[in-house]
Amino acid sequence: MYITLLLYAVLAGAYLLVVPVATYAYLNSRWYVATSFERGFMYFLMFFFFPGMLILAPFLNFRPKRRQIEA
């Protein structure tokens, strides 16, 4: 019985925390250079792992970096 509970906890942690963090990192690095097929894959990842994305969203900040204007 404890093995089953441990397995559920590990799978829930992976689904809600580990894979969404990896997905966020992947999206952050590839968003502006992705091909159309890859962009469809990104949308699939966002849809499939949406509960984990929703949990992590308040803690992540992906604002664009400030531009340096040279005079």
Side-chain angles (χ1 to χ4, degrees):
M1 176 170 159
Y2 292 113
I3 294 174
T4 306
L5 291 175
L6 180 66
L7 181 62
Y8 274 120
V10 168
L11 288 176
Y15 180 73
L16 292 175
L17 295 175
V18 176
V19 177
V21 166
T23 302
Y24 267 125
Y26 171 67
L27 293 176
N28 196 24
S29 67
R30 296 289 301 166
W31 186 257
Y32 294 107
V33 294
T35 63
S36 60
F37 179 77
E38 189 176 5
R39 192 165 302 275
F41 179 66
M42 289 176 176
Y43 292 147
F44 165 75
L45 288 175
M46 282 296 294
F47 177 74
F48 194 74
F49 296 108
F50 184 73
M53 298 290 185
L54 204 60
I55 291 171
L56 294 175
F59 305 107
L60 298 175
N61 181 6
F62 290 120
R63 291 188 184 126
K65 295 179 180 133
R66 183 179 291 253
R67 290 189 319 168
Q68 296 295 329
I69 301 174
E70 297 179 19

